[in-house]
Amino acid sequence: MTVLVTGGAGYIGSHTVVELLQTNFDVVVIDNLSNSSEEALKRVQRITDKSVTFYQGDILDSGLLDSIFTKHSIDSVVHFAGLKSVNESITMPHKYYENNVQGTLNLLAAMERAGVNKLVFSSSANVYGTPESLPVVETAPVGGTSNPYGTSKYMVERILQDLAASNEKWRFAILRYFNPVGAHKSGLIGEDPNDIPNNLLPYISQVAIGKLECLGVFGDDYDTPDGTGVRDYIHVVDLALGHLKALSKLESASGGLVYNLGTGNGFSVLEMVKAFEVASKRTVKFEIKPRRSGDIAMSYANPEKAKKELGWVAERGLDDMMVDAWRWQSQNPNGYADN
Ligand code: NAD
Ligand code: WQD
């Protein structure tokens, strides 16, 4: 069976392509490389000893999508392509709505023309805004987002639900990721931010390797056990495996199915720093800074629905996340640019 993976050269996409190939799917990737490198796909092929068909192009390009659906007998789509910087989305909302919302509409239209009706979508815990209660369940209110990135994910969720309600042929799995971290155990693929990282783990690991001086901890006066923000960090390989479970669910289910993909455990910023120091045997210098605008105190998932309906649970713990992130960082101090 052939799966089209949009954004397959990116962080989560490349890890998912590895698992798909190792499960004997044929994989076609479309990626415009706006936030990734083709080197990631070369390494995916090295890890798996299998080949990927790669199209460098944009999901906004309907002609390219049509030609891919014509050339390949695509069974389903796993849709990662999108822009993901919360900060950038606040200053460039148009870019985010065009890429994430219009891009998805384009993809859905091409699927419709090609008669392909199964899609797994990368949504985000961001759609919950500030959760009213924890752990967060899928039925919690969504849409109270505080930035265009999160709103773009919420809008796509609504579009998918409306399509699913309009015609039972559509089969969608909407996966709400919590905080993906870590890397493949080979150390060959991992997260490779273009610029100074926005997210905690890449920042910590670049301090540990000596590329950045000091981590700013954004606030130590939250209503959390140690005052710093608490999140549900999930190993990227567990996340990738969730996509395979979702694809298999779509073989027999229709509609718009929503699942949290998280571990159910929350860790604070300071706990993450400590755990990384243990895994890397390096010191991570940090200083307390003011809160980052838009941040929430705590977010962690109730992952029971994915367990019950998909048979999926996150199996890798905090130590695996840290050891694997450090292996990737220390073997590739400059990410794919080292190649
Ligand atoms: P990433 O930036 O590493 O991967 C996204 C990929 O999509 C990149 O390779 C990029 O070049 C490609 N891309 C972007 N716009 C495109 C377009 N118009 N056409 C073709 N390719 C395009 O990000 P990631 O961390 O792997 O995230 C994958 C998906 O998961 C994104 O949709 C993101 O919003 C979502 N997500 C990520 C996180 C996270 O913390 N990493 C959390 C929740 C949801
Ligand atoms: C985690 C914790 C920060 C950096 C964002 C998006 C979300 C999802 C994942 C895509 C918080 C603290 C961080 C730093 C710090 N992405 N922190 N110093 O904010 O939970 O989620 O990325 O969908 O949508 O909103 O993740 O890694 O940025 O922050 O103290 O330099 O680390 O305040 O408590 P976040 P994060």
Side-chain angles (χ1 to χ4, degrees):
M1 261 196 313
T2 304
V3 180
L4 174 63
V5 181
T6 74
Y11 172 46
I12 305 168
S14 56
H15 287 81
T16 304
V17 173
V18 166
E19 301 304 324
L20 286 167
L21 291 170
Q22 288 179 336
T23 314
N24 289 326
F25 285 97
D26 292 320
V27 177
V28 177
V29 167
I30 176 172
D31 197 305
N32 63 8
L33 303 183
S34 59
N35 196 37
S36 54
S37 160
E38 196 177 349
E39 177 62 19
L41 290 175
K42 292 189 179 142
R43 295 192 184 185
V44 162
Q45 297 180 102
R46 239 168 91 192
I47 292 168
T48 58
D49 203 20
K50 295 195 173 166
S51 64
V52 175
T53 306
F54 174 54
Y55 292 90
Q56 182 175 347
D58 205 294
I59 55 165
L60 287 162
D61 180 347
S62 301
L64 175 60
L65 289 176
D66 284 343
S67 78
I68 292 173
F69 282 112
T70 305
K71 274 193 204 124
H72 304 273
S73 176
I74 307 285
D75 176 70
S76 46
V77 178
V78 183
H79 179 32
F80 296 105
L83 299 174
K84 66 166 178 177
S85 162
V86 167
N87 281 342
E88 190 187 48
S89 80
I90 294 167
T91 55
M92 298 180 165
H94 186 272
K95 182 174 166 187
Y96 273 68
Y97 289 122
E98 180 169 44
N99 205 80
N100 294 3
V101 182
Q102 183 59 45
T104 304
L105 284 168
N106 241 31
L107 174 66
L108 289 162
M111 289 173 64
E112 173 109 63
R113 289 191 292 275
V116 176
N117 52 23
K118 286 177 273 184
L119 177 131
V120 179
F121 174 61
S122 301
S123 190
S124 169
N126 207 302
V127 300
Y128 292 117
T130 304
E132 279 167 14
S133 61
L134 293 166
V136 193
V137 285
E138 289 84 349
T139 49
V142 288
T145 44
S146 62
N147 58 81
Y149 166 73
T151 308
S152 75
K153 292 290 176 190
Y154 169 67
M155 287 165 85
V156 171
E157 287 203 8
R158 286 294 304 266
I159 290 166
L160 297 178
Q161 294 294 5
D162 288 345
L163 276 184
S166 74
N167 190 326
E168 64 182 19
K169 74 175 181 188
W170 289 112
R171 298 173 176 216
F172 299 128
I174 294 165
L175 306 181
R176 293 180 182 152
Y177 311 157
F178 280 68
N179 290 58
V181 296
H184 190 264
K185 64 180 178 339
S186 63
L188 286 170
I189 56 172
E191 187 167 10
D192 182 20
N194 266 340
D195 217 335
I196 296 178
N198 292 314
N199 296 118
L200 180 64
L201 235 288
Y203 206 107
I204 290 179
S205 59
Q206 291 196 16
V207 172
I209 198 94
K211 288 178 72 179
L212 293 170
E213 186 69 27
C214 178
L215 169 75
V217 173
F218 298 144
D220 67 348
D221 56 354
Y222 284 106
D223 186 14
T224 61
D226 67 15
T228 66
V230 168
R231 298 289 183 275
D232 186 338
Y233 297 93
I234 173 172
H235 196 295
V236 65
V237 172
D238 280 326
L239 191 64
L241 290 167
H243 293 73
L244 275 74
K245 294 285 190 186
L247 277 175
S248 108
K249 177 77 179 173
L250 294 185
E251 291 301 315
S252 58
S254 63
L257 309 172
V258 180
Y259 299 102
N260 283 340
L261 294 187
T263 65
N265 303 311
F267 290 99
S268 74
V269 176
L270 295 181
E271 284 174 318
M272 295 299 279
V273 170
K274 261 273 131 338
F276 200 88
E277 288 185 328
V278 170
S280 65
K281 303 187 179 64
R282 300 266 177 124
T283 302
V284 176
K285 198 174 151 200
F286 69 86
E287 61 179 327
I288 307 298
K289 296 265 182 158
R291 292 181 179 192
R292 182 171 65 179
S293 155
D295 269 0
I296 54 176
M298 288 213 248
S299 165
Y300 52 93
N302 178 332
E304 282 308 307
K305 188 176 175 213
K307 182 178 179 186
K308 195 163 154 237
E309 295 187 14
L310 302 180
W312 174 88
V313 279
E315 287 173 349
R316 291 157 183 79
L318 192 60
D319 288 353
D320 300 306
M321 301 181 208
M322 299 302 180
V323 166
D324 293 341
W326 178 241
R327 188 184 299 106
W328 156 252
Q329 180 70 72
S330 53
Q331 288 180 12
N332 309 270
N334 299 306
Y336 295 115
D338 275 337
N339 187 55

